[in-house]
Amino acid sequence: MEPDTSVSQQLKDYLSVTGMTLKQFSDICGINAGTLSAMLNEQRRISMHNLDRLTRGMGLAEGSLYEAYLKGCLLNSPPDWRRMGPFIHRCAELGKLDCLERLVHALADHLAYIPLLFDMAELLWNEGKMDAAAVLYLCVAQCEKYQHSERLALSRYRLFTIELGNDQESNLRAAAWFEEYVDRLDESNQLDALKDLADVYASLHRWDRVQFFAEKLEHKSLIQYRHRLKRKRKEAVEDGPSRELLFYLLYAYLLMANVCDAYQEYDKALQYVNLYSNMERLGVVELSEAEQQVVQQFQKWGKGNACLYRLMSGEVEVLANYAEYVVHHAEERIPAMYRILQAANRFGLNVDHLLEPRRMNLLFEKRSSLLGIYNAQIVANHYIRYISELSLYHLRAQRYETGFRYLLEGLEWAMRYNHESMLIQCVRLFEQYRQEASESRREQYKNLICGVKKDEETKLLVDERVQLGSSCWTAG
């Protein structure tokens, strides 16, 4: 028989060991002695407020009694949201995800509580408690997977954004999993979701998917924007997307230009630049203050990208103009220098004069513009490609030690982000110049590759176990 570890029993043991009376402990924890007596005799339910008071009074760390409270007071009695809601919130605050998962799993059998779990998940999301919110969103998604509800779609969207991280392959799986839910979102979230999906695929250079979602973003944002223009601006819906509607339309054209750039269709890319940097071509005349800020940012991007596409098409004479643009736009330096180095490697240009003065500033860090923080996955992708092009540039110039230093740094970053295509590119580049590498660089390369192999073996083992577990679950 398991020993009694309930909250009331732990309180009894504490009073017994310390020799305190109820009155003395009442003065310490701030709970009425009569209330304490009722708790000890299990004649009164313990509230979350009093549970935390008991914990402090007994000198225990915050949340120490939550497992006992969960088992004895919540799971063994009919669901009561007045107690469960505060418990979930406190678990989220203290990072007690094990307790949270156990309670949520138990509530999954009571479908009437799913809307309450969703509302709590939204509260935690807005408070920035993403790990705890993910537990609730996952429960909602699993319980409503056959409902085709807006709540299901939003839960899947939240999970998608929470799952995005440093592992590019994981990001790809998250995007592919979420795709089918986009059209079920309400209009206020659809545009953000389409942009987020396009950004993930852009960071992975899956340009066919970027084009697909860019076209959907253009179509839906144009419909909403035209509808908005038919109404007075003061009648704008409060629950709209997170940005100005005009932003999504212009961003769609920016994405399409990026796709053309990837396919080396530079004339077509310039046409899209004209669309997102020239409002007259879109028939936009009257702009709000917020929309003016959006337009200004896209015009800045358009100015730089127009030079870039001309440079990449072989007009090397615009290099000086593009370099000048980079000087005045610090947030664009890493992607811009990546493209300058790419052009230098493609056309045999000497850009030494552009490298050294800026090297100390080109570190991996978050980037932002007038419109907010750049997508983290795209920032990482740009930095890894910048390092790779920089290494190739130095290797071609026979500056082998410098080139291998950057090459191995790029390989480390590609491993850190599980960026498969760039990892392969770095390996291919090292093998191409292997005979020029010093013994120490070869040893460093060998150790890194061994780390890649070990990670792949671990991933395969985990995948096999997951598949086995899934098979057992299905069979059961």
Side-chain angles (χ1 to χ4, degrees):
M1 189 175 189
E2 293 185 6
D4 186 357
T5 58
S6 64
V7 175
S8 58
Q9 184 59 50
Q10 290 190 54
L11 177 55
K12 289 177 185 177
D13 294 342
Y14 177 79
L15 294 176
S16 176
V17 169
T18 60
M20 283 190 191
T21 64
L22 281 180
K23 180 64 173 66
Q24 290 172 326
F25 186 68
S26 172
D27 293 337
I28 292 174
C29 70
I31 302 175
N32 180 274
T35 301
L36 284 173
S37 177
M39 290 179 185
L40 282 172
N41 296 319
E42 298 185 358
Q43 296 174 343
R44 177 170 181 156
R45 292 182 176 180
I46 303 173
S47 67
M48 278 302 303
H49 183 61
N50 283 339
L51 180 66
D52 287 335
R53 285 182 168 185
L54 288 176
T55 304
R56 288 192 296 270
M58 295 166 67
L60 301 174
E62 280 190 301
S64 297
L65 297 176
Y66 282 17
E67 286 83 359
Y69 183 74
L70 173 65
K71 182 179 179 181
C73 301
L74 296 181
L75 297 182
N76 290 333
S77 59
D80 183 351
W81 188 253
R82 289 175 299 177
R83 290 191 299 153
M84 289 183 167
F87 181 80
I88 289 173
H89 197 268
R90 283 292 286 152
C91 284
E93 289 179 336
L94 300 179
K96 305 280 289 185
L97 297 186
D98 288 345
C99 290
L100 187 58
E101 288 175 355
R102 288 172 61 193
L103 178 58
V104 169
H105 180 73
L107 280 177
D109 294 330
H110 303 273
L111 296 182
Y113 284 88
I114 298 304
L116 294 174
L117 284 177
F118 176 79
D119 291 341
M120 177 62 74
E122 287 287 273
L123 174 63
L124 298 178
W125 166 273
N126 290 323
E127 293 178 352
K129 300 178 177 68
M130 300 305 177
D131 290 340
V135 174
L136 274 62
Y137 284 128
L138 184 58
C139 177
V140 173
Q142 290 174 339
C143 290
E144 298 202 341
K145 60 183 177 181
Y146 300 118
Q147 303 301 316
H148 299 279
S149 66
E150 206 171 276
R151 188 162 52 225
L152 166 64
L154 187 54
S155 294
R156 282 297 177 193
Y157 179 37
R158 299 293 196 225
L159 288 168
F160 162 64
T161 56
I162 291 171
E163 288 168 13
L164 293 179
N166 293 344
D167 190 320
Q168 293 285 48
E169 292 303 308
S170 294
N171 293 342
L172 176 59
R173 288 192 295 271
W177 180 254
F178 170 61
E179 276 191 31
E180 66 175 286
Y181 298 95
V182 175
D183 291 332
R184 303 184 201 176
L185 291 167
D186 61 23
E187 290 184 350
S188 65
N189 288 299
Q190 266 192 18
L191 299 182
D192 285 315
L194 290 170
K195 175 191 176 296
D196 291 343
L197 277 170
D199 283 343
V200 171
Y201 284 121
S203 73
L204 295 164
H205 284 213
R206 302 295 179 104
W207 298 113
D208 58 331
R209 303 310 294 158
V210 176
Q211 181 68 27
F212 175 78
F213 287 109
E215 290 175 357
K216 291 192 71 170
L217 183 61
E218 177 200 22
H219 175 70
K220 291 181 179 294
S221 62
L222 193 56
I223 290 175
Q224 291 191 39
Y225 186 69
R226 286 173 176 170
H227 181 62
R228 163 80 181 276
L229 291 178
K230 291 179 180 179
R231 301 182 301 172
K232 295 180 180 179
R233 293 189 182 276
K234 65 181 180 180
E235 295 175 356
V237 180
E238 293 182 4
D239 247 354
S242 63
R243 302 170 185 263
E244 293 296 316
L245 284 172
L246 185 60
F247 167 85
Y248 299 97
L249 179 59
L250 300 184
Y251 197 79
Y253 295 132
L254 178 67
L255 289 169
M256 292 176 186
N258 290 343
V259 173
C260 295
D261 176 22
Y263 292 143
Q264 299 185 25
E265 299 173 347
Y266 301 114
D267 288 341
K268 192 174 180 181
L270 285 168
Q271 293 176 19
Y272 284 116
V273 170
N274 287 332
L275 278 177
Y276 68 70
S277 59
N278 189 339
M279 294 302 100
E280 291 182 2
R281 297 194 61 169
L282 293 175
V284 177
V285 180
E286 183 183 355
L287 297 172
S288 68
E289 185 176 342
E291 288 172 334
Q292 289 175 12
Q293 190 173 37
V294 170
V295 169
Q296 289 172 10
Q297 181 62 73
F298 277 93
Q299 287 175 339
K300 287 182 180 179
W301 286 333
K303 181 179 179 181
N305 286 337
C307 285
L308 169 62
Y309 299 146
R310 291 175 60 195
L311 173 63
M312 297 308 296
S313 67
E315 296 182 42
V316 296
E317 62 272 15
V318 303
L319 175 59
N321 292 336
Y322 190 48
E324 183 66 20
Y325 169 83
V326 176
V327 169
H328 297 291
H329 298 83
E331 74 282 359
E332 299 294 332
R333 285 180 184 173
I334 287 177
M337 286 306 300
Y338 149 52
R339 300 310 301 273
I340 286 174
L341 286 163
Q342 188 181 43
N345 290 329
R346 180 179 298 178
F347 302 118
L349 306 177
N350 186 324
V351 295
D352 287 355
H353 62 291
L354 299 177
L355 295 178
E356 294 309 319
R358 296 175 179 81
R359 171 56 192 157
M360 294 306 294
N361 293 327
L362 299 187
L363 303 175
F364 180 76
E365 58 188 3
K366 292 181 179 179
R367 292 168 28 224
S368 61
S369 69
L370 291 173
L371 305 180
I373 298 175
Y374 282 79
N375 176 275
Q377 289 73 41
I378 291 179
V379 170
N381 175 64
H382 282 159
Y383 187 76
I384 295 170
R385 292 181 183 277
Y386 159 69
I387 291 294
S388 176
E389 292 291 342
L390 184 59
S391 67
L392 176 58
Y393 179 77
H394 284 295
L395 289 171
R396 284 185 168 178
Q398 299 184 5
R399 294 189 285 260
Y400 296 121
E401 179 56 27
T402 302
F404 282 114
R405 173 161 57 87
Y406 287 129
L407 176 56
L408 295 174
E409 180 184 345
L411 182 58
E412 287 188 69
W413 280 101
M415 291 171 57
R416 185 178 304 178
Y417 280 81
N418 196 18
H419 200 315
E420 185 176 344
S421 64
M422 288 308 299
L423 194 151
I424 293 172
Q425 184 170 318
C426 289
V427 168
R428 185 182 293 127
L429 187 57
F430 187 93
E431 294 301 333
Q432 181 181 345
Y433 287 90
R434 171 184 279 275
Q435 68 276 12
E436 309 296 344
S438 65
E439 190 61 36
S440 62
R441 292 301 183 189
R442 291 185 187 185
E443 186 64 25
Q444 184 182 356
Y445 172 75
K446 178 182 176 181
N447 292 335
L448 286 171
I449 293 301
C450 287
V452 172
K453 290 181 178 178
K454 185 176 181 180
D455 288 344
E456 287 300 314
E457 290 170 359
T458 301
K459 187 187 298 183
L460 285 173
L461 180 61
V462 171
D463 288 344
E464 288 174 1
R465 288 178 176 175
V466 169
Q467 290 173 4
L468 179 62
S470 299
S471 300
C472 293
W473 178 264
T474 303

